[in-house]
C-alpha cells in the first residue's frame, strides 16, 4: 500500500489518497493488493489507475479512469486457481465484457501510458508484463488530479467516448482551407481532428466554382467515408449528407456544445483537465442517459446520480452549481392580443363572464391574466418555464372565451396568436397601456368640465 497526495496549490484542499499495488493485469481484469472492503459494497463502481513510471517521465496524464462490474477476493472459490495460490487479501476487479469475453466498448484496463493495444499487450513476455505491473497502483473511486500551478488546465477534448467517428456517421466540421485536392476541415466534436472533403464529394452537381459551394470559416455537415486511426486520416463527403438528417444532426451538436461549455467551465474553475472530467464521469453519464446534456438536466432534480462515481466533493459541488446556473429554466412570458365585443342585451356582463372562463384555465403555477388595453382590445398573458405549455394554455383559454362569448351572441377576434414575447414587446405593451390610461383620464376630465358648464 502506498500513501500519496493529490497535486494541488492549496494544502487545505489536498486530500490523502491511499493507493494499492497492482498484482496482476489483464485486459478485462485487474488484481489489486487490497481487501474487498475498500471497494463499493455492491461490488460495482469505479477506480483510478496510476502509472508511476509515466509520472516519473513527466507525462501529463499518468492516470486513467475505469469501471468495474464485479469484485471478488482472489480465492479458489471465485477463480480457477490452486489453494496454495490463493490470496484472500487481494481483490480482482472485472470489466464489463461481451459474449467473446472482450471488454465492452473497448473499455479495457490496459493503461494508454504503456503504448500497447490489446493485440500487442497479449504478446508481452512475463518479464515485460511484470515490469509494467510493478509500476501500477489503484485507488478506489474517481480521483481526478488537480492541474499543477506550473500550467493551465487543458481545455481541449473530444465530446464523445470514441476518439474517431464511425463510418457513415454524420459530423459537424469547420472549413479550414481549400486546396487543389479538396477541402480541409476540422471535426468540431472530435477535438478538432483534421479531415478532408474531396472535391468530387462536395456536390452532386458539376462544380464550376468551389468557393460558391463552400467557404473558409463556414460550419458544414459531412458524412464519414473512411477513417485511418493509425495515421489519423479521415475522408468525408458533403454531397452524401441527407437533407432529412440535417436538423437532427444540428440539434445533437448544439446539445453537445452546451454540455461541452459546462465541462470546460468546470475544468477552468476546479483546475482539472477537461478530458479527465469526460473520461472519469462525463462519458459514463452520456452512456446512461443517452446524452450528457440530458444527464445534466436530470442533475437539476436528482443530484444522487453522481454518488456512484465517488468523486471529490469540490468537483461534485462545482458541477452541480455550474449546471444549475446554466440549465435552470428561465421564466418566459406568453402573450395574446384579442378583441371581444357583444352588442346583445348582456353586453359588458357577457364579456366579463367570457373573460372569466379564460382566466379560469390558468393553473396555480401558471395563472392567466387579462387586461384591457382599449375597448374592445384585450391582452392575455401568463408566465411559464415551458414555452410550449404556455402557448397551449393560452390557446385553450381563448377557445373557452370564444365558446362562451359566441353562446352569448358576442364575437372574438384574435389579433395576435399566443406567442412568447421579449423585453421589446413588453415595453411596447406597457407604453400602450399607459397611453390608454392617459386617454381615459383626459376623457374623464372633459366630461367633468362639460358638467360644470351646464351648471
Amino acid at each position: 500500500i502506498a500513501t500519496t497526495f493529490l497535486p494541488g496549490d492549496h494544502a487545505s484542499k489536498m486530500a490523502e489518497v491511499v493507493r494499492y499495488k497492482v498484482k496482476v493485469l489483464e485486459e478485462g481484469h485487474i488484481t489489486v493488493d487490497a481487501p474487498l472492503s475498500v471497494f463499493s459494497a455492491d461490488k460495482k463502481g469505479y477506480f483510478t489507475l496510476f502509472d508511476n513510471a509515466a509520472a516519473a517521465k513527466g507525462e501529463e496524464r499518468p492516470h486513467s479512469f475505469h469501471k468495474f462490474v464485479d469484485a471478488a477476493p482472489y480465492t479458489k472459490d471465485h477463480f480457477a486457481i490452486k489453494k496454495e495460490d490463493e490470496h484472500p487479501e487481494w481483490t480482482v476487479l472485472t470489466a464489463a465484457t461481451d459474449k467473446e469475453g472482450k471488454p465492452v466498448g473497448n473499455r479495457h484496463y490496459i493503461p494508454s501510458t504503456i503504448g500497447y493495444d490489446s493485440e500487442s499487450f497479449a504478446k508481452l513476455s512475463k518479464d515485460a508484463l511484470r515490469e509494467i505491473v510493478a509500476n501500477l497502483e489503484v485507488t478506489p473511486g474517481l480521483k481526478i488530479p488537480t492541474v499543477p500551478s506550473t500550467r493551465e488546465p487543458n481545455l481541449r477534448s473530444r465530446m464523445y467516448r470514441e476518439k474517431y467517428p464511425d463510418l457513415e456517421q454524420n459530423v459537424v466540421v469547420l472549413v479550414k482551407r481549400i486546396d487543389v485536392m479538396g477541402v480541409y476541415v476540422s471535426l468540431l466534436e472530435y477535438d478538432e481532428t483534421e479531415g478532408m472533403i474531396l472535391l468530387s464529394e462536395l456536390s452532386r452537381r458539376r462544380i464550376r466554382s468551389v468557393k460558391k459551394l463552400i467557404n473558409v470559416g463556414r460550419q458544414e455537415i459531412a458524412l464519414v467515408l473512411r477513417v485511418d486511426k493509425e495515421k489519423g486520416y479521415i475522408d468525408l463527403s458533403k454531397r452524401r449528407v441527407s437533407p432529412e438528417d440535417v436538423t437532427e444532426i444540428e440539434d445533437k451538436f448544439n446539445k453537445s456544445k452546451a454540455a461541452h461549455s459546462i465541462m470546460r467551465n468546470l475544468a477552468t474553475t476546479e483546475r482539472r483537465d477537461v478530458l479527465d472530467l469526460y473520461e472519469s464521469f462525463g462519458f459514463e453519464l452520456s452512456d446512461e442517459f443517452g446524452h450528457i446534456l440530458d444527464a445534466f438536466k436530470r442533475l437539476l432534480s436528482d443530484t444522487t446520480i453522481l454518488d456512484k462515481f465517488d468523486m471529490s466533493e469540490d468537483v461534485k459541488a462545482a458541477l452541480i452549481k455550474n449546471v444549475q446556473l446554466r440549465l435552470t429554466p428561465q421564466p418566459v412570458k406568453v402573450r395574446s392580443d384579442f378583441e371581444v365585443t357583444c352588442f346583445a342585451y348582456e353586453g359588458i356582463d357577457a364579456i366579463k363572464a367570457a373573460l372569466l372562463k379564460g382566466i379560469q384555465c390558468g393553473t396555480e403555477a401558471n395563472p392567466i391574466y387579462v387586461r384591457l388595453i382599449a375597448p374592445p382590445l384585450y391582452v392575455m398573458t401568463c408566465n411559464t418555464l415551458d414555452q410550449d405549455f404556455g402557448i397551449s394554455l393560452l390557446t385553450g383559454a381563448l377557445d373557452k372565451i370564444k365558446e362562451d362569448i359566441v353562446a352569448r351572441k358576442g364575437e372574438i377576434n384574435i389579433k395576435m396568436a399566443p406567442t412568447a414575447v421579449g423585453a421589446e414587446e413588453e415595453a411596447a405593451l406597457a407604453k400602450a397601456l399607459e397611453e390608454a390610461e392617459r386617454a381615459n383620464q383626459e376623457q374623464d376630465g372633459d366630461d367633468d368640465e362639460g358638467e360644470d358648464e351646464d351648471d
Side-chain angles (χ1 to χ4, degrees), residues 394-406:
L394 291 199
T395 301
L398 290 171
D399 289 341
K400 285 291 184 182
I401 293 173
K402 181 178 180 179
E403 180 183 338
D404 193 85
I405 197 65
V406 168

Side-chain angles (χ1 to χ4, degrees), residues 172-178 183-186 188 197 210-221 238:
V172 179
V173 302
L174 184 68
V175 180
K176 306 298 288 186
R177 69 182 191 277
I178 300 173
V183 178
Y184 288 89
V185 300
S186 59
L188 298 179
I197 304 175
V210 174
K211 291 185 178 180
K212 288 185 178 181
L213 286 174
I214 200 163
N215 294 315
V216 174
R218 185 173 172 178
Q219 192 171 290
E220 300 282 354
I221 295 174
K238 184 174 179 293

Side-chain angles (χ1 to χ4, degrees), residues 46-77:
Y46 300 83
F47 66 89
T48 307
L49 180 63
F50 297 91
D51 184 349
N52 293 323
K57 295 176 184 177
E59 292 190 19
E60 194 171 288
R61 300 183 72 246
H63 53 273
S64 54
F65 308 99
H66 303 276
K67 179 180 181 179
F68 64 93
V69 297
D70 191 26
Y74 191 69
T75 62
K76 63 187 301 293
D77 292 336

Side-chain angles (χ1 to χ4, degrees), residues 255-354:
K255 288 178 66 175
S256 300
K257 189 166 63 171
H260 195 59
S261 175
I262 291 173
M263 295 292 271
R264 282 170 59 94
N265 184 268
L266 179 64
T268 302
T269 57
E270 298 306 304
R271 294 194 58 77
R272 262 75 169 188
D273 289 335
V274 71
L275 183 57
D276 279 347
L277 299 177
Y278 271 112
E279 291 191 340
S280 55
F281 64 85
F283 295 145
E284 287 294 324
L285 286 175
S286 183
D287 291 340
E288 182 178 353
F289 291 91
H291 195 284
I292 188 171
L293 190 66
D294 294 330
F296 287 164
K297 290 178 179 178
R298 174 69 176 274
L299 191 60
L300 290 171
S301 59
D302 183 10
T303 59
T304 62
I305 65 173
L306 298 179
D307 292 348
K308 63 182 178 182
F309 295 111
D310 189 20
M311 66 174 71
S312 58
E313 287 301 317
D314 61 332
V315 174
K316 182 178 178 179
L319 174 61
I320 294 172
K321 181 180 179 181
N322 202 345
V323 168
Q324 289 174 341
L325 287 173
R326 301 289 189 95
L327 298 183
T328 298
Q330 298 299 315
V332 175
K333 175 166 281 190
V334 179
R335 168 183 158 190
S336 177
D337 297 350
F338 59 97
E339 294 178 347
V340 181
T341 56
C342 182
F343 300 107
Y345 177 76
E346 289 184 273
I348 189 65
D349 292 332
I351 293 175
K352 287 181 179 179

